């Protein structure tokens, strides 16, 4: 388990480590990992911050829970390691990119390439027990990630927040919409997408248009 937050993020999340709730959360996580199969691997829990430099941050893409199947979660929302089968939500994300930007469907579901360009792939809950979705919710992760979102909104300028689904949309209250772009739509899961709440949102082109206007390098999705 990591004891130190990734370099560059100290101002945003450093104070959380000193809070009682966070110490209790870390105690819970250690017990869970000792007693059960949990994901991602302990050294991948804070990968969203390690892969995305704070100084290069442009986009926050919020997920809810890590994938709870073996070999899927590696600390980045919606992403899977190299060679892993693409989960249905990720398939729909790639299909929307294909339609929106006329890009070829990618072979790899590893989204580290996005993170390295300044996309924070943040789950609201950073860990999960194998086969049990939402099993680590309401243990303190949400307090931590809400504060991350709030601090990014306060400390940064012209960030694009991608909020997909009702859970993510509830985070709008944490974001200053006068200084950032908030793009919200349905979740890319088959249940939502098949009801017409996902496809055609064009979030990827809208995101890049905004970044271009703000003088920032666009994301190569």
């Amino acid at each position: 388990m990591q004891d130190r937050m990734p370099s560059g993020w100290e101002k945003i999340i450093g104070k959380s480590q000193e809070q009682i709730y966070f110490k209790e959360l870390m105690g819970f996580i250690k017990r869970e990992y000792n007693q059960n199969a949990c994901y991602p691997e302990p050294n991948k829990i804070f990968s969203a911050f390690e892969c995305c430099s704070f100084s290069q941050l442009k986009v926050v893409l919020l997920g809810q829970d890590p994938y709870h199947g073996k070999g899927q979660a590696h600390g980045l929302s919606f992403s899977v390691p190299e060679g892993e089968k693409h989960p249905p939500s990720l398939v729909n994300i790639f299909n929307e990119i294909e339609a929106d930007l006329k890009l070829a469907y990618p072979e790899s579901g590893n989204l580290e390439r996005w993170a390295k360009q300044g996309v924070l792939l943040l789950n609201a809950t950073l860990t999960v027990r194998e086969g049990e979705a939402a099993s680590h919710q309401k243990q303190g992760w949400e307090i931590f990630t809400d504060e991350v979102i709030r601090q990014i909104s306060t400390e940064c300028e012209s960030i694009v927040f991608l909020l997909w689904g009702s859970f993510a949309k509830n985070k709008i209250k944490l974001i200053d919409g006068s200084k950032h772009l908030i793009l919200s739509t349905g979740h890319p899961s088959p249940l939502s997408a098949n009801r017409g709440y996902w496809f055609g949102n064009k979030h990827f082109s809208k995101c890049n248009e905004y970044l271009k206007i703000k003088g920032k390098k666009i994301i190569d999705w």
Side-chain angles (χ1 to χ4, degrees):
M1 197 73 63
Q2 294 163 274
D3 295 320
R4 187 177 62 84
M5 289 296 168
S7 177
W9 286 95
E10 293 89 352
K11 185 175 181 180
I12 300 296
I13 55 184
K15 290 182 180 179
S16 293
Q17 291 177 289
E18 304 167 8
Q19 303 299 313
I20 292 175
Y21 89 85
F22 192 83
K23 294 176 181 178
E24 292 176 345
L25 169 63
M26 291 299 99
F28 166 79
I29 295 303
K30 288 178 181 178
R31 291 192 299 273
E32 278 288 287
Y33 273 72
N34 284 334
Q35 298 170 8
N36 304 287
C38 296
Y39 305 121
E41 295 297 320
N43 65 342
K44 297 288 187 182
I45 291 174
F46 295 104
S47 285
F49 303 103
E50 291 177 338
C51 294
C52 177
S53 166
F54 176 66
S55 62
Q56 311 244 336
L57 180 64
K58 302 172 190 171
V59 181
V60 177
L61 174 49
L62 186 66
Q64 185 168 353
D65 224 21
Y67 296 123
H68 54 81
K70 186 176 181 179
Q72 292 182 306
H74 66 140
L76 307 176
S77 63
F78 295 104
S79 179
V80 291
E82 209 75 34
E84 278 292 314
K85 181 181 178 182
H86 301 177
S89 291
L90 186 56
V91 170
N92 285 336
I93 289 170
F94 286 155
N95 284 337
E96 175 60 23
I97 291 174
E98 194 174 18
D100 184 14
L101 300 175
K102 305 299 184 286
L103 296 175
Y105 188 100
E107 291 184 13
S108 174
N110 189 335
L111 304 182
E112 284 184 22
R113 61 187 185 276
W114 294 1
K116 290 175 180 177
Q117 296 177 73
V119 181
L120 181 65
L121 296 159
L122 181 66
N123 278 316
T125 303
L126 299 189
T127 57
V128 69
R129 196 181 302 153
E130 182 178 26
E132 298 182 42
S135 50
H136 287 180
Q137 288 183 7
K138 300 181 180 178
Q139 297 294 334
W141 277 132
E142 295 89 343
I143 301 173
F144 171 71
T145 52
D146 277 5
E147 186 59 21
V148 168
I149 295 168
R150 190 180 292 110
Q151 287 296 320
I152 288 173
S153 175
T154 300
E155 299 292 337
C156 301
E157 296 289 338
S158 305
I159 301 296
V160 181
F161 289 86
L162 300 177
L163 307 180
W164 300 339
S166 58
F167 179 87
K169 290 176 186 177
N170 287 334
K171 307 299 182 180
I172 288 177
K173 61 183 180 290
L174 306 173
I175 305 164
D176 183 349
S178 69
K179 58 187 289 198
H180 305 290
L181 176 64
I182 301 172
L183 296 175
S184 63
T185 190
H187 196 275
S189 67
L191 181 63
S192 174
N194 293 339
R195 290 178 176 175
Y197 300 133
W198 166 255
F199 292 113
N201 61 67
K202 298 188 182 298
H203 276 192
F204 304 97
S205 59
K206 290 176 181 177
C207 172
N208 278 350
E209 287 167 7
Y210 178 80
L211 294 176
K212 191 181 296 183
I213 289 170
K214 295 299 179 178
K216 298 183 180 185
K217 189 175 181 180
I218 64 174
I219 305 298
D220 180 6
W221 299 106

